[in-house]
Amino acid sequence: MRISTIITILLSIALLPSCSFRKQEGISSDPIDAKVSKLISSMTLEEKIGQMTQITITALEKEGEPGILDKNKLREAIHKYKIGSILNTPNPGAPKPKRWNAILNEILAETNQTDKKIPIIYGIDAIHGASYTDGAVLFPQQIGMAATWDAELVEKCTAIAAYETRASSIPWVFSPDLDLPRHPAWSRLWESFGEDTYLSSQMAAAMVKGFQGDDVGASDKVATCLKHYIGYGSTTTGKDRTPSIIPERVLRQHDLPIYEKSINAGAKSIMISSGEINGIPVHASKKMITEILKDELDFKGFVVTDWQDIIYLHTRHKVASTMREAVKKSVMAGVDMSMVPDNYSFFEELFSLVSDGEVPMSRIDDAVSRILRVKFELDLFRTPVTDPKDYPDFGSPSSVAMSYIAASQSITLLKNTDKILPISKESKVLITGPTANSMKYLNGGWSYTWQGEKSDEYANDKLTILEAFKNKIGEQNVTYTPGVSIFEEIDIAKSVSLTNNADYIILCLGEHNYTETPGDINDLMITEPQIKLAQALAKLNKPIILILNEGRPRIISQFENDMNAVLQCYLPGNEGARALIDIVYGDINPSGKLPYNYPRYANSLQKYNRKYTESLGDTEQNDDADYQKSYNPQYEFGYGLSYTTFSYKNLNIDKIFMSKEDSIQITIDVQNSGIRTGKEVVQLYLKDMFASITPEVKTLKRFRKIELQPGEIKTVSFMIGIDDLKFVNENNEWVAESGEFEVMIGPLSKKIVLEKELKEP
């Protein structure tokens, strides 16, 4: 075979698209490239800039008539400004699929009157299911999905979310959230997968696969939008959209790998962080967007801003003295689409900039090519709007069952003194606390509305915690009073008095519904009224089962010692109460594990993979036991109890000495040593004993969730390679240094040695 032929074949393979158009007879280039090039060559500058412009649907509604599109506004958007994208939910809240279809068809009718009939790409925040569609199945929020430690389950649930989003005629979702929160007070922690890079990357890739499948153009799949690139969850204050200080070495080691994994899984778009890193807003950073994301990580999809963030370069960040300068900075940094979202300032400024030669046409063509490519991959030119009649499984019992399974596997048993749980169905319970009787506390934000305040209205056929208890054991066995709200005392004395006829107190505490800036807090401690209620009940010598519904770990150390059992529910979704009650009564054996460290004190917020010098202890011995003294979280990352017990035996490593070309097989026997069937998450951690950059105490490298019958033993096998031993050095390079490493699974550990490379004399 001739060299030129081989090169042609290799190039054609490299350019194969990840969509339904990829199968070709013989040797050819990507057919989508040809379609995109042909279309762009015929487009005017106005049409190109229009494709880069995204407008919120509410800006197109009639004055005083929420939810009704103004035909003149829509016509102006489509015909004058040639917009390529619309986002968000119409007023007043989540429509049913039939209404979504009518809205999308109204928009389509207008685009069909244009010269080129380029379809709109409609985007929505499908955060935990098709969460802006009335009747859709709502799953646990991302932090709860992370607590399942089950990537296969996450993919299955996300595939249902994709199906139901397409049933709503919407092809593009602003999900998953890949933020790596470094401060537990951050108001969007619950939208993330927690504090660990490896766990987050595995879960994020599973969501991308669930949303997009093998063919993003299929009628039951949607395009993903990874967010928020990058460093958004690492604010120094713990408050939303405040600055982050992150060395590039740290960013490359902990944040970028999550994005890289999802980009390799085929993610089609990325949303830029609203924040700034080291004084540079990410929307204005050519290094972050073009040099690292597009060039280094080879991201081929398109980049979209977050809400109004180009405008904020001028008004908030103050790095652009005019709106014109803000547009130029962001577009030249690599932004492809602006979520403007309610005016045409971006369009007008960019048109002027290109006309004046300040932004080259090559940058515009690159941006538009990326956007059009995704539209072709989604098959929007042939099927711009789907029909809800083609989705008979929308809201189906089988999909609801998957939400229940996810909730039951996410809920984490953190304490179970004297095996108080599970309790008998014949016992009488007092239900008290602010989160006991509202769906808002099960779903949180991004549920039907932005802040999730209407969950009781939209999910009125679902069970609150109180209703689930009554449904399970009968109203005659349940007494209820709230005692307090999240922020105010109501009648703590009544809660105390009603314990007289109860065998158990079910204390339901947590947080109100929130997301983004409205969720900012000044104190990580759980609110004062809830502390007072817990402390008053603790004086009664009655067994207390603490139920937490919270988006972040609110500190409970003032009364945790007095609780007999603690269950962390996170934000478990519409089926969360059913799952919780089945765990309380033993019909389900809990298997969730924490995806973050749960802090004990407000000024002791170390992550599990901390540096040794973060916890020096009280002496100068400098051994591991000493370091542990000042590291004392309430509960540690990866922790979670079961109603059965598991024992770990026979940790084996197939080789102790490893070269840089080797991989190592690690096996361990795990036995269910209790009397109930249960699921266990087998977690493998590595410790670099010594390194040129101070090593972490331990780092998660592998995990697997297994189910074991009583007495059953399973051998779990893991493979690790040279990449698992690497870290980013002071030159921002990934390196593996020779020396000792410790492999840790459960209570067992063994050493391996990475050998030095022998250089030629």
Side-chain angles (χ1 to χ4, degrees):
M1 184 179 292
R2 296 175 59 185
I3 295 296
S4 59
T5 304
I6 295 174
I7 292 173
T8 302
I9 293 172
L10 290 174
L11 284 172
S12 66
I13 292 171
L15 292 171
L16 284 175
S18 55
C19 71
S20 56
F21 301 94
R22 61 186 171 277
K23 293 182 179 179
Q24 298 292 310
E25 295 295 329
I27 306 301
S28 67
S29 62
D30 184 344
I32 290 183
D33 278 346
K35 292 179 180 181
V36 169
S37 296
K38 181 179 180 181
L39 182 54
I40 283 185
S41 68
S42 68
M43 292 172 69
T44 64
L45 178 58
E46 292 92 338
E47 288 170 329
K48 291 176 181 179
I49 294 175
Q51 287 299 302
M52 299 171 67
T53 303
Q54 185 183 58
I55 297 295
T56 180
I57 188 70
T58 53
L60 305 177
E61 292 179 349
K62 287 186 176 181
E63 294 286 341
E65 297 185 54
I68 305 300
L69 293 184
D70 185 314
K71 292 188 181 300
N72 290 328
K73 290 181 180 178
L74 180 61
R75 190 173 298 114
E76 178 185 51
I78 300 296
H79 293 279
K80 180 178 179 180
Y81 292 104
K82 326 288 186 184
I83 65 167
S85 181
I86 298 176
L87 82 152
N88 220 344
T89 183
N91 285 311
K96 291 183 179 294
K98 187 176 180 180
R99 176 61 184 144
W100 270 123
N101 181 256
I103 292 168
L104 271 291
N105 271 313
E106 191 172 350
I107 295 167
L108 176 63
E110 206 61 51
T111 60
N112 279 340
Q113 295 178 33
T114 63
D115 177 36
K116 297 180 179 63
K117 299 180 174 57
I118 301 174
I120 290 288
I121 182 169
Y122 202 107
I124 200 73
D125 286 289
I127 301 302
H128 61 129
S131 49
Y132 270 156
T133 299
D134 188 2
V137 176
L138 297 195
F139 296 91
Q141 297 280 7
Q142 265 191 215
I143 197 67
M145 297 304 286
T148 69
W149 291 60
D150 188 336
E152 184 178 349
L153 176 62
V154 169
E155 183 176 343
K156 289 178 180 177
C157 292
T158 309
I160 293 170
Y163 178 95
E164 297 199 341
T165 303
R166 274 292 205 174
S168 310
S169 304
I170 299 171
W172 182 29
V173 295
F174 305 135
S175 180
D177 188 311
L178 274 55
D179 295 311
L180 189 68
R182 289 178 170 87
H183 198 303
W186 188 49
S187 60
R188 307 190 73 167
L189 183 144
W190 53 268
E191 295 181 55
S192 77
F193 291 117
E195 71 179 50
D196 181 70
T197 296
Y198 182 76
L199 177 62
S200 296
S201 65
Q202 297 302 305
M203 295 299 179
M207 282 194 76
V208 171
K209 292 174 185 174
F211 276 131
Q212 297 187 173
D214 296 325
D215 179 3
V216 74
S219 61
D220 61 344
K221 298 300 177 185
V222 295
T224 56
C225 185
L226 312 178
K227 62 184 189 182
H228 307 85
Y229 179 86
I230 191 169
Y232 181 45
S234 301
T235 66
T236 55
T237 65
K239 294 185 177 181
D240 186 46
R241 289 175 165 85
T242 55
S244 299
I245 306 297
I246 312 173
E248 184 175 342
R249 190 196 69 75
V250 175
L251 200 72
R252 286 182 174 277
Q253 182 161 327
H254 296 287
D255 299 71
L256 274 176
I258 310 174
Y259 286 89
E260 184 173 20
K261 182 80 173 179
S262 289
I263 288 169
N264 291 340
K268 299 301 178 185
S269 64
I270 288 180
M271 184 181 293
I272 301 302
S273 161
S274 296
E276 59 183 64
I277 301 175
N278 307 331
I280 301 174
V282 186
H283 281 84
S285 176
K286 184 175 182 179
K287 178 175 181 178
M288 289 295 175
I289 301 174
T290 296
E291 294 175 13
I292 295 179
L293 177 61
K294 291 184 174 180
D295 295 341
E296 189 176 318
L297 298 186
D298 198 30
F299 176 61
K300 300 300 185 186
F302 69 87
V303 169
V304 61
T305 75
D306 205 339
W307 188 271
Q308 203 169 311
D309 275 338
I310 291 180
I311 295 172
Y312 287 147
L313 292 180
H314 170 54
T315 62
R316 177 185 287 170
H317 295 287
K318 308 293 186 180
V319 296
S321 59
T322 63
M323 180 60 188
R324 178 185 179 89
E325 184 184 359
V327 171
K328 181 178 179 179
K329 277 181 177 287
S330 60
V331 172
M332 294 307 294
V335 166
D336 301 312
M337 180 185 288
S338 173
M339 188 185 292
V340 186
D342 53 12
N343 60 56
Y344 301 102
S345 57
F346 172 81
F347 180 100
E348 292 163 344
E349 296 291 1
L350 186 54
F351 183 85
S352 176
L353 284 163
V354 178
S355 299
D356 292 345
E358 293 186 46
V359 172
M361 186 62 75
S362 58
R363 173 75 270 271
I364 302 300
D365 286 348
D366 171 61
V368 177
S369 295
R370 290 168 178 269
I371 295 165
L372 292 178
R373 162 167 278 280
V374 174
K375 290 186 177 185
F376 276 113
E377 289 177 330
L378 280 167
D379 207 15
L380 295 184
F381 284 85
R382 291 192 299 183
T383 311
V385 179
T386 51
D387 189 336
K389 294 178 182 177
D390 296 330
Y391 298 84
D393 290 331
F394 176 87
S396 69
S398 62
S399 297
V400 171
M402 284 301 297
S403 177
Y404 167 84
I405 290 169
S408 67
Q409 290 203 38
S410 69
I411 293 171
T412 306
L413 179 60
L414 297 175
K415 186 177 183 180
N416 196 19
T417 305
D418 298 326
K419 298 182 180 179
I420 189 174
L421 291 176
I423 64 176
S424 165
K425 295 182 178 70
E426 284 70 46
S427 57
K428 294 183 180 296
V429 298
L430 167 67
I431 313 293
T432 190
T435 62
N437 196 30
S438 174
M439 296 304 298
K440 292 184 294 186
Y441 306 119
L442 296 173
N443 280 317
W446 297 118
S447 302
Y448 308 109
T449 59
W450 177 39
Q451 294 295 310
E453 75 280 1
K454 294 185 178 180
S455 284
D456 288 314
E457 173 187 333
Y458 283 100
N460 59 10
D461 60 332
K462 301 298 181 180
L463 297 177
T464 66
I465 294 174
L466 173 63
E467 291 165 345
F469 268 100
K470 289 180 177 179
N471 188 61
K472 188 79 169 180
I473 62 173
E475 291 194 27
Q476 71 279 4
N477 291 319
V478 178
T479 305
Y480 167 69
T481 186
V484 301
S485 70
I486 299 292
F487 300 111
E488 296 179 350
E489 294 183 38
I490 298 175
D491 193 342
I492 293 177
K494 184 175 182 180
S495 293
V496 170
S497 67
L498 289 177
T499 62
N500 292 330
N501 297 321
D503 299 308
Y504 298 95
I505 300 169
I506 310 296
L507 178 57
C508 302
L509 305 183
E511 295 191 294
H512 68 297
N513 48 289
Y514 64 86
T515 189
E516 300 190 57
T517 306
D520 284 349
I521 54 175
N522 294 319
D523 190 351
L524 195 55
M525 190 75 68
I526 202 164
T527 60
E528 187 65 26
Q530 297 186 87
I531 294 172
K532 288 183 177 180
L533 176 61
Q535 291 176 333
L537 295 171
K539 297 175 182 177
L540 303 177
N541 201 29
K542 287 266 186 176
I544 304 176
I545 299 164
L546 174 61
I547 308 296
L548 295 171
N549 285 277
E550 53 187 10
R552 56 199 155 194
R554 301 300 291 268
I555 292 172
I556 56 174
S557 54
Q558 285 185 309
F559 56 85
E560 191 271 351
N561 284 343
D562 297 315
M563 303 294 105
N564 300 87
V566 180
L567 281 159
Q568 171 64 287
C569 296
Y570 312 98
L571 298 169
N574 277 340
E575 306 307 318
R578 286 202 303 128
L580 169 66
I581 269 57
D582 284 347
I583 287 172
V584 168
Y585 289 102
D587 296 325
I588 293 288
N589 191 350
S591 63
K593 303 286 186 182
L594 280 176
Y596 51 67
N597 265 6
Y598 201 116
R600 188 183 299 270
Y601 307 112
N603 289 332
S604 184
L605 304 178
Q606 302 106 315
K607 304 305 180 189
Y608 87 92
N609 58 338
R610 66 207 182 279
K611 299 297 185 80
Y612 286 96
T613 48
E614 290 185 62
S615 46
L616 286 173
D618 302 318
T619 74
E620 297 299 323
Q621 297 301 311
N622 294 331
D623 57 16
D624 281 358
D626 182 49
Y627 289 124
Q628 192 72 19
K629 288 181 182 178
S630 62
Y631 171 69
N632 188 24
Q634 194 78 60
Y635 313 104
E636 191 176 22
F637 172 86
Y639 176 77
L641 299 171
S642 170
Y643 293 154
T644 191
T645 55
F646 300 95
S647 60
Y648 288 73
K649 305 173 183 176
N650 304 322
L651 174 61
N652 289 308
I653 299 173
D654 70 346
K655 60 174 70 74
I656 294 176
F657 296 96
M658 177 182 177
S659 72
K660 293 191 175 181
E661 289 73 37
D662 282 339
S663 59
I664 290 181
Q665 183 178 44
I666 302 166
T667 59
I668 190 150
D669 293 337
V670 185
Q671 182 176 23
N672 183 341
S673 50
I675 60 173
R676 294 180 59 119
T677 299
K679 293 184 176 181
E680 172 71 339
V681 179
V682 185
Q683 304 168 40
L684 185 156
Y685 295 87
L686 280 182
K687 177 192 294 188
D688 192 345
M689 304 305 292
F690 298 93
S692 58
I693 295 289
T694 55
E696 298 165 352
V697 171
K698 63 177 182 178
T699 306
L700 180 71
K701 293 298 180 181
R702 298 288 186 274
F703 64 87
R704 186 168 304 152
K705 194 167 193 175
I706 59 173
E707 184 173 39
L708 294 169
Q709 304 297 317
E712 183 182 4
I713 300 174
K714 284 185 178 178
T715 299
V716 178
S717 177
F718 299 107
M719 296 292 295
I720 63 171
I722 190 66
D723 286 346
D724 297 301
L725 309 184
K726 289 181 177 179
F727 63 90
V728 178
N729 67 13
E730 62 182 340
N731 297 320
N732 296 321
E733 300 167 333
W734 282 95
V735 296
E737 295 178 343
S738 59
E740 282 190 327
F741 295 79
E742 187 172 5
V743 177
M744 298 171 284
I745 303 180
L748 305 179
S749 65
K750 282 194 173 183
K751 296 282 183 64
I752 61 174
V753 177
L754 179 61
E755 297 179 299
K756 283 186 177 181
E757 287 186 311
L758 297 177
K759 296 183 179 180
E760 293 290 334

